[in-house]
PDB file of all heavy atoms in Angstrom:
ATOM      1  N   ASN A  25       0.821  -1.210   0.000  1.00  0.00           N
ATOM      2  CA  ASN A  25       0.000   0.000   0.000  1.00  0.00           C
ATOM      3  C   ASN A  25       0.856   1.261   0.000  1.00  0.00           C
ATOM      4  O   ASN A  25       0.369   2.351  -0.283  1.00  0.00           O
ATOM      5  CB  ASN A  25      -0.921   0.003   1.215  1.00  0.00           C
ATOM      6  CG  ASN A  25      -2.106   0.922   1.037  1.00  0.00           C
ATOM      7  OD1 ASN A  25      -2.602   1.089  -0.074  1.00  0.00           O
ATOM      8  ND2 ASN A  25      -2.552   1.538   2.119  1.00  0.00           N
ATOM      9  N   LYS A  26       2.148   1.103   0.337  1.00  0.00           N
ATOM     10  CA  LYS A  26       3.055   2.244   0.357  1.00  0.00           C
ATOM     11  C   LYS A  26       3.884   2.344  -0.915  1.00  0.00           C
ATOM     12  O   LYS A  26       4.645   3.294  -1.087  1.00  0.00           O
ATOM     13  CB  LYS A  26       3.989   2.126   1.570  1.00  0.00           C
ATOM     14  CG  LYS A  26       3.257   2.064   2.912  1.00  0.00           C
ATOM     15  CD  LYS A  26       4.242   1.879   4.052  1.00  0.00           C
ATOM     16  CE  LYS A  26       3.517   1.760   5.404  1.00  0.00           C
ATOM     17  NZ  LYS A  26       4.465   1.545   6.513  1.00  0.00           N
ATOM     18  N   MET A  27       3.740   1.371  -1.796  1.00  0.00           N
ATOM     19  CA  MET A  27       4.538   1.353  -3.020  1.00  0.00           C
ATOM     20  C   MET A  27       4.053   2.405  -4.005  1.00  0.00           C
ATOM     21  O   MET A  27       2.858   2.657  -4.125  1.00  0.00           O
ATOM     22  CB  MET A  27       4.486  -0.037  -3.666  1.00  0.00           C
ATOM     23  CG  MET A  27       5.119  -1.126  -2.811  1.00  0.00           C
ATOM     24  SD  MET A  27       4.831  -2.780  -3.473  1.00  0.00           S
ATOM     25  CE  MET A  27       5.698  -2.642  -5.042  1.00  0.00           C
ATOM     26  N   GLN A  28       4.998   3.022  -4.699  1.00  0.00           N
ATOM     27  CA  GLN A  28       4.664   4.014  -5.712  1.00  0.00           C
ATOM     28  C   GLN A  28       4.157   3.326  -6.977  1.00  0.00           C
ATOM     29  O   GLN A  28       4.617   2.234  -7.314  1.00  0.00           O
ATOM     30  CB  GLN A  28       5.891   4.850  -6.060  1.00  0.00           C
ATOM     31  CG  GLN A  28       6.289   5.860  -4.986  1.00  0.00           C
ATOM     32  CD  GLN A  28       5.299   7.001  -4.870  1.00  0.00           C
ATOM     33  OE1 GLN A  28       4.743   7.461  -5.867  1.00  0.00           O
ATOM     34  NE2 GLN A  28       5.072   7.439  -3.644  1.00  0.00           N
ATOM     35  N   PRO A  29       3.209   3.948  -7.694  1.00  0.00           N
ATOM     36  CA  PRO A  29       2.758   3.374  -8.967  1.00  0.00           C
ATOM     37  C   PRO A  29       3.918   3.316  -9.959  1.00  0.00           C
ATOM     38  O   PRO A  29       4.937   4.004  -9.781  1.00  0.00           O
ATOM     39  CB  PRO A  29       1.686   4.369  -9.438  1.00  0.00           C
ATOM     40  CG  PRO A  29       1.267   5.105  -8.202  1.00  0.00           C
ATOM     41  CD  PRO A  29       2.495   5.175  -7.339  1.00  0.00           C
ATOM     42  N   PRO A  30       3.798   2.514 -11.019  1.00  0.00           N
ATOM     43  CA  PRO A  30       4.854   2.438 -12.034  1.00  0.00           C
ATOM     44  C   PRO A  30       5.125   3.799 -12.661  1.00  0.00           C
ATOM     45  O   PRO A  30       4.258   4.687 -12.660  1.00  0.00           O
ATOM     46  CB  PRO A  30       4.282   1.451 -13.063  1.00  0.00           C
ATOM     47  CG  PRO A  30       3.258   0.667 -12.314  1.00  0.00           C
ATOM     48  CD  PRO A  30       2.684   1.594 -11.299  1.00  0.00           C
ATOM     49  N   ALA A  31       6.313   3.945 -13.231  1.00  0.00           N
ATOM     50  CA  ALA A  31       6.719   5.234 -13.805  1.00  0.00           C
ATOM     51  C   ALA A  31       5.774   5.694 -14.905  1.00  0.00           C
ATOM     52  O   ALA A  31       5.466   6.884 -15.021  1.00  0.00           O
ATOM     53  CB  ALA A  31       8.143   5.125 -14.347  1.00  0.00           C
ATOM     54  N   TYR A  32       5.290   4.753 -15.725  1.00  0.00           N
ATOM     55  CA  TYR A  32       4.423   5.166 -16.840  1.00  0.00           C
ATOM     56  C   TYR A  32       3.094   5.722 -16.336  1.00  0.00           C
ATOM     57  O   TYR A  32       2.504   6.614 -16.967  1.00  0.00           O
ATOM     58  CB  TYR A  32       4.200   4.008 -17.816  1.00  0.00           C
ATOM     59  CG  TYR A  32       3.248   2.935 -17.354  1.00  0.00           C
ATOM     60  CD1 TYR A  32       1.902   2.969 -17.703  1.00  0.00           C
ATOM     61  CD2 TYR A  32       3.696   1.875 -16.583  1.00  0.00           C
ATOM     62  CE1 TYR A  32       1.027   1.983 -17.277  1.00  0.00           C
ATOM     63  CE2 TYR A  32       2.833   0.882 -16.156  1.00  0.00           C
ATOM     64  CZ  TYR A  32       1.501   0.938 -16.517  1.00  0.00           C
ATOM     65  OH  TYR A  32       0.640  -0.040 -16.100  1.00  0.00           O
ATOM     66  N   VAL A  33       2.607   5.231 -15.182  1.00  0.00           N
ATOM     67  CA  VAL A  33       1.365   5.760 -14.607  1.00  0.00           C
ATOM     68  C   VAL A  33       1.602   7.170 -14.063  1.00  0.00           C
ATOM     69  O   VAL A  33       0.787   8.075 -14.261  1.00  0.00           O
ATOM     70  CB  VAL A  33       0.840   4.834 -13.496  1.00  0.00           C
ATOM     71  CG1 VAL A  33      -0.387   5.450 -12.826  1.00  0.00           C
ATOM     72  CG2 VAL A  33       0.486   3.474 -14.069  1.00  0.00           C
ATOM     73  N   LEU A  34       2.737   7.371 -13.381  1.00  0.00           N
ATOM     74  CA  LEU A  34       3.064   8.696 -12.863  1.00  0.00           C
ATOM     75  C   LEU A  34       3.237   9.704 -13.994  1.00  0.00           C
ATOM     76  O   LEU A  34       2.809  10.860 -13.889  1.00  0.00           O
ATOM     77  CB  LEU A  34       4.352   8.620 -12.025  1.00  0.00           C
ATOM     78  CG  LEU A  34       4.276   7.778 -10.744  1.00  0.00           C
ATOM     79  CD1 LEU A  34       5.649   7.703 -10.094  1.00  0.00           C
ATOM     80  CD2 LEU A  34       3.253   8.369  -9.784  1.00  0.00           C
ATOM     81  N   THR A  35       3.846   9.256 -15.096  1.00  0.00           N
ATOM     82  CA  THR A  35       4.036  10.137 -16.252  1.00  0.00           C
ATOM     83  C   THR A  35       2.698  10.552 -16.844  1.00  0.00           C
ATOM     84  O   THR A  35       2.476  11.733 -17.153  1.00  0.00           O
ATOM     85  CB  THR A  35       4.885   9.433 -17.329  1.00  0.00           C
ATOM     86  OG1 THR A  35       6.168   9.112 -16.788  1.00  0.00           O
ATOM     87  CG2 THR A  35       5.071  10.333 -18.541  1.00  0.00           C
ATOM     88  N   GLN A  36       1.783   9.586 -16.998  1.00  0.00           N
ATOM     89  CA  GLN A  36       0.468   9.911 -17.548  1.00  0.00           C
ATOM     90  C   GLN A  36      -0.306  10.827 -16.616  1.00  0.00           C
ATOM     91  O   GLN A  36      -0.998  11.743 -17.065  1.00  0.00           O
ATOM     92  CB  GLN A  36      -0.311   8.622 -17.797  1.00  0.00           C
ATOM     93  CG  GLN A  36       0.262   7.777 -18.930  1.00  0.00           C
ATOM     94  CD  GLN A  36      -0.515   6.503 -19.138  1.00  0.00           C
ATOM     95  OE1 GLN A  36      -1.735   6.517 -19.224  1.00  0.00           O
ATOM     96  NE2 GLN A  36       0.177   5.395 -19.213  1.00  0.00           N
ATOM     97  N   ALA A  37      -0.204  10.607 -15.314  1.00  0.00           N
ATOM     98  CA  ALA A  37      -0.900  11.459 -14.354  1.00  0.00           C
ATOM     99  C   ALA A  37      -0.398  12.897 -14.452  1.00  0.00           C
ATOM    100  O   ALA A  37      -1.185  13.848 -14.437  1.00  0.00           O
ATOM    101  CB  ALA A  37      -0.700  10.914 -12.946  1.00  0.00           C
ATOM    102  N   ALA A  38       0.919  13.060 -14.565  1.00  0.00           N
ATOM    103  CA  ALA A  38       1.497  14.399 -14.672  1.00  0.00           C
ATOM    104  C   ALA A  38       1.041  15.099 -15.948  1.00  0.00           C
ATOM    105  O   ALA A  38       0.750  16.300 -15.941  1.00  0.00           O
ATOM    106  CB  ALA A  38       3.030  14.305 -14.628  1.00  0.00           C
ATOM    107  N   LYS A  39       0.973  14.348 -17.044  1.00  0.00           N
ATOM    108  CA  LYS A  39       0.541  14.934 -18.314  1.00  0.00           C
ATOM    109  C   LYS A  39      -0.912  15.383 -18.246  1.00  0.00           C
ATOM    110  O   LYS A  39      -1.281  16.430 -18.785  1.00  0.00           O
ATOM    111  CB  LYS A  39       0.751  13.940 -19.459  1.00  0.00           C
ATOM    112  CG  LYS A  39       2.200  13.789 -19.890  1.00  0.00           C
ATOM    113  CD  LYS A  39       2.321  12.892 -21.097  1.00  0.00           C
ATOM    114  CE  LYS A  39       3.771  12.848 -21.572  1.00  0.00           C
ATOM    115  NZ  LYS A  39       4.226  14.163 -22.072  1.00  0.00           N
ATOM    116  N   ILE A  40      -1.764  14.575 -17.609  1.00  0.00           N
ATOM    117  CA  ILE A  40      -3.176  14.936 -17.497  1.00  0.00           C
ATOM    118  C   ILE A  40      -3.340  16.206 -16.672  1.00  0.00           C
ATOM    119  O   ILE A  40      -4.121  17.094 -17.006  1.00  0.00           O
ATOM    120  CB  ILE A  40      -3.975  13.779 -16.877  1.00  0.00           C
ATOM    121  CG1 ILE A  40      -4.030  12.604 -17.855  1.00  0.00           C
ATOM    122  CG2 ILE A  40      -5.393  14.216 -16.507  1.00  0.00           C
ATOM    123  CD1 ILE A  40      -4.585  11.336 -17.273  1.00  0.00           C
ATOM    124  N   LEU A  41      -2.589  16.323 -15.574  1.00  0.00           N
ATOM    125  CA  LEU A  41      -2.659  17.521 -14.753  1.00  0.00           C
ATOM    126  C   LEU A  41      -2.172  18.741 -15.530  1.00  0.00           C
ATOM    127  O   LEU A  41      -2.698  19.845 -15.372  1.00  0.00           O
ATOM    128  CB  LEU A  41      -1.835  17.334 -13.478  1.00  0.00           C
ATOM    129  CG  LEU A  41      -2.365  16.274 -12.500  1.00  0.00           C
ATOM    130  CD1 LEU A  41      -1.424  16.124 -11.316  1.00  0.00           C
ATOM    131  CD2 LEU A  41      -3.776  16.619 -12.035  1.00  0.00           C
ATOM    132  N   GLU A  42      -1.174  18.547 -16.378  1.00  0.00           N
ATOM    133  CA  GLU A  42      -0.672  19.645 -17.208  1.00  0.00           C
ATOM    134  C   GLU A  42      -1.727  20.077 -18.225  1.00  0.00           C
ATOM    135  O   GLU A  42      -1.970  21.273 -18.423  1.00  0.00           O
ATOM    136  CB  GLU A  42       0.602  19.193 -17.928  1.00  0.00           C
ATOM    137  CG  GLU A  42       1.232  20.263 -18.805  1.00  0.00           C
ATOM    138  CD  GLU A  42       2.466  19.761 -19.527  1.00  0.00           C
ATOM    139  OE1 GLU A  42       3.053  18.764 -19.067  1.00  0.00           O
ATOM    140  OE2 GLU A  42       2.836  20.359 -20.545  1.00  0.00           O
ATOM    141  N   LEU A  43      -2.380  19.096 -18.865  1.00  0.00           N
ATOM    142  CA  LEU A  43      -3.444  19.408 -19.820  1.00  0.00           C
ATOM    143  C   LEU A  43      -4.627  20.070 -19.126  1.00  0.00           C
ATOM    144  O   LEU A  43      -5.250  20.982 -19.664  1.00  0.00           O
ATOM    145  CB  LEU A  43      -3.906  18.123 -20.519  1.00  0.00           C
ATOM    146  CG  LEU A  43      -2.892  17.459 -21.450  1.00  0.00           C
ATOM    147  CD1 LEU A  43      -3.411  16.087 -21.880  1.00  0.00           C
ATOM    148  CD2 LEU A  43      -2.641  18.326 -22.678  1.00  0.00           C
ATOM    149  N   CYS A  44      -4.909  19.603 -17.921  1.00  0.00           N
ATOM    150  CA  CYS A  44      -6.018  20.148 -17.150  1.00  0.00           C
ATOM    151  C   CYS A  44      -5.785  21.614 -16.816  1.00  0.00           C
ATOM    152  O   CYS A  44      -6.698  22.436 -16.864  1.00  0.00           O
ATOM    153  CB  CYS A  44      -6.207  19.317 -15.881  1.00  0.00           C
ATOM    154  SG  CYS A  44      -7.622  19.776 -14.885  1.00  0.00           S
ATOM    155  N   ALA A  45      -4.555  21.955 -16.465  1.00  0.00           N
ATOM    156  CA  ALA A  45      -4.231  23.334 -16.102  1.00  0.00           C
ATOM    157  C   ALA A  45      -4.398  24.281 -17.279  1.00  0.00           C
ATOM    158  O   ALA A  45      -4.743  25.458 -17.105  1.00  0.00           O
ATOM    159  CB  ALA A  45      -2.795  23.401 -15.568  1.00  0.00           C
ATOM    160  N   ALA A  46      -4.178  23.767 -18.503  1.00  0.00           N
ATOM    161  CA  ALA A  46      -4.273  24.612 -19.695  1.00  0.00           C
ATOM    162  C   ALA A  46      -5.663  24.618 -20.311  1.00  0.00           C
ATOM    163  O   ALA A  46      -5.954  25.420 -21.196  1.00  0.00           O
ATOM    164  CB  ALA A  46      -3.259  24.142 -20.736  1.00  0.00           C
ATOM    165  N   ALA A  47      -6.548  23.727 -19.854  1.00  0.00           N
ATOM    166  CA  ALA A  47      -7.874  23.589 -20.458  1.00  0.00           C
ATOM    167  C   ALA A  47      -8.817  24.693 -19.998  1.00  0.00           C
ATOM    168  O   ALA A  47      -8.684  25.246 -18.904  1.00  0.00           O
ATOM    169  CB  ALA A  47      -8.455  22.229 -20.108  1.00  0.00           C
ATOM    170  N   ASP A  48      -9.777  24.997 -20.855  1.00  0.00           N
ATOM    171  CA  ASP A  48     -10.799  26.001 -20.548  1.00  0.00           C
ATOM    172  C   ASP A  48     -11.963  25.327 -19.827  1.00  0.00           C
ATOM    173  O   ASP A  48     -13.013  25.066 -20.405  1.00  0.00           O
ATOM    174  CB  ASP A  48     -11.271  26.682 -21.840  1.00  0.00           C
ATOM    175  CG  ASP A  48     -12.247  27.823 -21.557  1.00  0.00           C
ATOM    176  OD1 ASP A  48     -12.301  28.281 -20.405  1.00  0.00           O
ATOM    177  OD2 ASP A  48     -12.962  28.231 -22.503  1.00  0.00           O
ATOM    178  N   ILE A  49     -11.759  25.023 -18.555  1.00  0.00           N
ATOM    179  CA  ILE A  49     -12.765  24.336 -17.751  1.00  0.00           C
ATOM    180  C   ILE A  49     -12.910  25.061 -16.421  1.00  0.00           C
ATOM    181  O   ILE A  49     -12.076  25.892 -16.058  1.00  0.00           O
ATOM    182  CB  ILE A  49     -12.403  22.861 -17.493  1.00  0.00           C
ATOM    183  CG1 ILE A  49     -11.031  22.749 -16.805  1.00  0.00           C
ATOM    184  CG2 ILE A  49     -12.405  22.064 -18.797  1.00  0.00           C
ATOM    185  CD1 ILE A  49     -10.615  21.340 -16.455  1.00  0.00           C
ATOM    186  N   SER A  50     -13.972  24.729 -15.694  1.00  0.00           N
ATOM    187  CA  SER A  50     -14.213  25.378 -14.409  1.00  0.00           C
ATOM    188  C   SER A  50     -13.206  24.899 -13.370  1.00  0.00           C
ATOM    189  O   SER A  50     -12.638  23.800 -13.482  1.00  0.00           O
ATOM    190  CB  SER A  50     -15.635  25.076 -13.923  1.00  0.00           C
ATOM    191  OG  SER A  50     -15.773  23.692 -13.623  1.00  0.00           O
ATOM    192  N   GLU A  51     -13.002  25.714 -12.335  1.00  0.00           N
ATOM    193  CA  GLU A  51     -12.085  25.343 -11.271  1.00  0.00           C
ATOM    194  C   GLU A  51     -12.611  24.129 -10.512  1.00  0.00           C
ATOM    195  O   GLU A  51     -11.834  23.305 -10.025  1.00  0.00           O
ATOM    196  CB  GLU A  51     -11.897  26.516 -10.309  1.00  0.00           C
ATOM    197  CG  GLU A  51     -10.862  26.258  -9.226  1.00  0.00           C
ATOM    198  CD  GLU A  51      -9.496  25.911  -9.785  1.00  0.00           C
ATOM    199  OE1 GLU A  51      -9.102  26.496 -10.822  1.00  0.00           O
ATOM    200  OE2 GLU A  51      -8.813  25.048  -9.192  1.00  0.00           O
TER     201      GLU A  51
END
């Protein structure tokens, strides 16, 4: 339960957050 997700999952999560920050959506 303390293990970090695989690198590819962390990479995808970071990309989604980056896209989310640039998107025209509500807070």
Side-chain angles (χ1 to χ4, degrees):
N25 200 33
K26 301 177 182 179
M27 296 171 63
Q28 286 290 323
Y32 75 94
V33 175
L34 295 175
T35 299
Q36 291 179 49
K39 285 185 176 294
I40 291 170
L41 294 177
E42 181 182 339
L43 293 171
C44 185
D48 185 17
I49 57 177
S50 67
E51 185 57 37

